[in-house]
Amino acid sequence: MIKNNLQLTMTKKKIEMFNETIEKMAHEKSEVHPILRQAQIDAISSQRDKMIKEAEDYELLLSGQFAVFDVASLSDLPKALIMSRISMGLTQKDLAERLGMKEQQIQRYENTEYSSASFSTLLSIVEALDLKITEDVFLPKESRQKNILLEKLKDAGLEKSFIEKRIAPREVSPFELSSWVSKTVDRISEIFGWSKELLLSDAPLVIGRDASMVARFKMPVGANQQFVSAYTQYAFCLASIISRNFKVDAKPLSSDPELVRSTLLKESGKVDFKSVLSFATNHGIPVIPLNDSGAFHGATWRINGKNVIVLKQRTAHISKWTFDLLHELYHASQRPDLKEFSVIELSETSEERRTDQEEVDANDFAAKVLLGSSAADFVQECLHEAQGKIAWLKNAVIQVAEKHGLDCGVLAYQVANKVEQISRNQPTKLNWWGAANNLQENPYSAKDVCIFNLLENVNVEKLEDTERELVEQAITN
């Protein structure tokens, strides 16, 4: 939010810089894939457009056309005070003089939206601006609709920040309440199946739980079940859109780790994230990278006979991405006779995931594809070389990896997992994950590779506008 004329001037300069960058990118030659290149241009354009709207909103406030500012709760009051000052034509210096403060103090308050200001200070500002605050402040119908919608969605497990980031149309200004509500409701209806009448009524919202949405693992203690259910439905909608428009036909998938490893080595000469991702793509399996916190850790769906994998990763470590992708590929290989199928992976640390046999098998499959059939022996060799001393384990892993020509980062994660298993039932718990992280090499971004691969193999031109925007918002920060 722009709060003064200096910020307005700086914003307009940034807009000019963005325009120059967009113009340059649109005409210069690049080795980046055209679809990804356009996505980069769109991302910059989105930032530019956001700044344009901020500048327009500030200038609209300066016009003095607003008589009432709508706030949903006291937490919205600070922003309303800033907008009121601007609308009244007062500078930060003018307000400071009315309060007997220094201009810099008002600037600090407004830069943090009065997060450090006391309630009495807020009241003083209300008086200095001669504002009238009553229960009738919340009058505009469109604003009431937006507040009702956001509250209902929050009760259903969907926070305002998630709605604004992943679902609501980015091109609509916060001041365009009617348009924002209308377009957001349309998207929510498409994802969750709720009607517009239900979304804007007083009736509570209930997340549907059909066969494709049922997790096969118990919910971890303390998990927000409503958010998990809502987010899973959202991810399933994305998976369905991408599955319908994936260019590569589905092929039978083997669960034999030796066969998969030999295929990877034959096709790519090595087993790494790029080769495993290519393997998945060649079998008609789209891999969708998401990085929202919470909800599930990963998911595999079979939709109308086609497998789709969702990876939820917030780490940059390529070894972790590769292991998790292979883990999900094992799930995708199971029950080939079923047209509809789902596995929702909850927390990595949940007891159910540690003890469930299919989870154990999926981890074993991933380890053997990455390290070969002697994966467990390599881990034991590391422990043996360390002679029971945790401080010696790092050098032991490096030596064993070099000796057998293994990926050191992959081996380190397997050793860390084994250390955790060994100490699980002992008084002193050992954690070697930090050391394992220090042995990782990340020459590229697994997420970017995943996004590029997805855009390469999805018929983007066949997506409807809303579908395309949902996909773009899902895979961008």
Side-chain angles (χ1 to χ4, degrees):
M1 178 182 179
I2 298 175
K3 302 178 178 70
N4 54 52
N5 289 335
L6 177 59
Q7 290 180 358
L8 175 64
T9 300
M10 293 174 63
T11 299
K12 287 185 174 181
K13 288 183 179 179
K14 288 180 180 178
I15 292 171
E16 291 178 4
M17 292 172 60
F18 275 125
N19 282 333
E20 292 174 0
T21 300
I22 293 169
E23 180 71 17
K24 183 179 179 181
M25 291 180 69
H27 292 93
E28 69 179 4
K29 293 183 178 180
S30 173
E31 295 181 357
V32 178
H33 188 278
I35 295 178
L36 190 58
R37 183 69 166 178
Q38 187 58 49
Q40 293 172 341
I41 294 174
D42 291 345
I44 297 174
S45 298
S46 177
Q47 295 181 54
R48 187 268 321 269
D49 293 344
K50 182 179 179 181
M51 289 184 177
I52 290 174
K53 291 305 299 180
E54 288 179 351
E56 291 176 346
D57 292 341
Y58 180 78
E59 292 175 335
L60 186 60
L61 285 171
L62 286 177
S63 70
Q65 294 181 22
F66 291 91
V68 176
F69 290 105
D70 181 40
V71 292
S73 65
L74 281 176
S75 63
D76 292 334
L77 180 59
K79 185 173 288 187
L81 295 179
I82 297 171
M83 292 191 294
S84 297
R85 173 188 63 74
I86 296 170
S87 184
M88 293 170 65
L90 297 175
T91 65
Q92 292 171 322
K93 183 178 181 180
D94 293 334
L95 178 57
E97 290 176 350
R98 290 191 181 190
L99 292 165
M101 296 181 180
K102 293 183 178 180
E103 181 182 0
Q104 291 81 359
Q105 182 61 59
I106 296 299
Q107 289 174 346
R108 284 194 290 270
Y109 277 147
E110 292 195 350
N111 284 340
T112 60
E113 295 189 358
Y114 290 102
S115 62
S116 61
S118 65
F119 188 69
S120 60
T121 298
L122 293 177
L123 291 178
S124 298
I125 293 171
V126 169
E127 293 177 1
L129 294 173
D130 194 24
L131 300 178
K132 182 179 180 181
I133 300 178
T134 72
E135 61 182 353
D136 296 325
V137 167
F138 313 105
L139 282 177
K141 177 182 177 183
E142 294 85 356
S143 185
R144 288 204 310 274
Q145 284 185 330
K146 180 177 179 179
N147 295 336
I148 291 171
L149 176 63
L150 291 175
E151 281 300 314
K152 284 168 68 77
L153 293 172
K154 182 179 179 180
D155 290 341
L158 296 164
E159 294 290 341
K160 176 183 177 183
S161 58
F162 175 77
I163 294 296
E164 292 178 338
K165 185 176 183 180
R166 300 300 185 204
I167 297 178
R170 292 178 175 177
E171 72 278 6
V172 179
S173 165
F175 289 112
E176 299 176 57
L177 296 173
S178 180
S179 179
W180 188 95
V181 170
S182 177
K183 292 185 177 182
T184 302
V185 163
D186 288 342
R187 294 188 178 187
I188 292 171
S189 296
E190 183 171 335
I191 296 170
F192 298 98
W194 295 315
S195 67
K196 181 175 182 179
E197 291 72 24
L198 175 61
L199 285 165
L200 298 178
S201 72
D202 294 329
L205 302 173
V206 179
I207 299 291
R209 295 297 297 253
D210 57 33
S212 62
M213 306 309 302
V214 177
R216 289 203 266 122
F217 303 104
K218 295 179 182 177
M219 201 77 69
V221 175
N224 185 332
Q225 296 192 23
Q226 287 180 311
F227 175 66
V228 172
S229 297
Y231 189 87
T232 302
Q233 179 69 55
Y234 160 77
F236 179 72
C237 176
L238 290 173
S240 299
I241 292 171
I242 290 172
S243 176
R244 290 194 304 268
N245 294 278
F246 203 60
K247 297 177 182 178
V248 187
D249 294 332
K251 298 176 184 176
L253 189 64
S254 174
S255 60
D256 181 347
E258 292 186 16
L259 177 59
V260 173
R261 179 177 171 81
S262 64
T263 301
L264 289 168
L265 292 173
K266 181 179 179 181
E267 293 179 348
S268 304
K270 55 185 175 180
V271 180
D272 61 3
F273 182 74
K274 291 181 179 179
S275 64
V276 175
L277 181 62
S278 177
F279 176 84
T281 301
N282 291 339
H283 284 77
I285 305 174
V287 180
I288 308 170
L290 302 178
N291 68 348
D292 301 299
S293 60
F296 59 77
H297 176 71
T300 296
W301 279 292
R302 188 172 303 139
I303 306 170
N304 194 26
K306 298 179 180 179
N307 289 311
V308 183
I309 289 174
V310 173
L311 293 182
K312 287 278 300 307
Q313 279 292 0
R314 298 180 71 82
T315 180
H317 298 319
I318 297 171
S319 296
K320 192 69 175 66
W321 280 79
T322 312
F323 185 90
D324 284 358
L325 177 51
L326 284 166
H327 180 103
E328 296 302 325
L329 281 171
Y330 176 83
H331 288 312
S333 72
Q334 302 300 290
R335 299 172 178 81
D337 55 309
L338 298 180
K339 284 286 188 181
E340 305 292 329
F341 172 70
S342 70
V343 177
I344 314 298
E345 310 273 14
L346 298 180
S347 169
E348 287 186 285
T349 59
S350 66
E351 191 62 26
E352 289 76 16
R353 285 199 65 188
R354 288 171 170 168
T355 58
D356 183 272
Q357 189 56 50
E358 187 171 338
E359 287 297 287
V360 174
D361 292 343
N363 285 338
D364 184 61
F365 170 84
K368 287 182 177 178
V369 172
L370 287 168
L371 299 174
S373 58
S374 300
D377 295 335
F378 295 142
V379 172
Q380 287 299 330
E381 186 175 347
C382 291
L383 297 176
H384 176 75
E385 291 294 327
Q387 299 180 27
K389 298 180 181 180
I390 197 77
W392 291 9
L393 202 49
K394 182 177 180 180
N395 285 335
V397 170
I398 294 173
Q399 291 172 8
V400 172
E402 290 179 350
K403 177 181 176 181
H404 298 285
L406 306 173
D407 184 308
C408 187
V410 170
L411 181 60
Y413 275 143
Q414 296 308 303
V415 171
N417 185 55
K418 187 64 177 180
V419 169
E420 185 179 66
Q421 290 177 7
I422 293 172
S423 68
R424 188 171 298 157
N425 298 319
Q426 297 185 8
T428 302
K429 298 291 187 291
L430 298 178
N431 186 322
W432 201 69
W433 290 105
N437 286 335
N438 290 333
L439 289 174
Q440 303 302 309
E441 293 184 1
N442 305 302
Y444 56 84
S445 165
K447 181 187 176 185
D448 288 348
V449 169
C450 209
I451 292 173
F452 184 89
N453 184 75
L454 192 65
L455 294 173
E456 274 274 272
N457 294 285
V458 171
N459 286 310
V460 179
E461 64 279 1
K462 291 186 178 180
L463 296 178
E464 296 181 0
D465 289 344
T466 298
E467 293 178 334
R468 178 178 51 77
E469 289 167 7
L470 281 173
V471 171
E472 287 178 354
Q473 288 180 215
I475 61 179
T476 59
N477 293 326

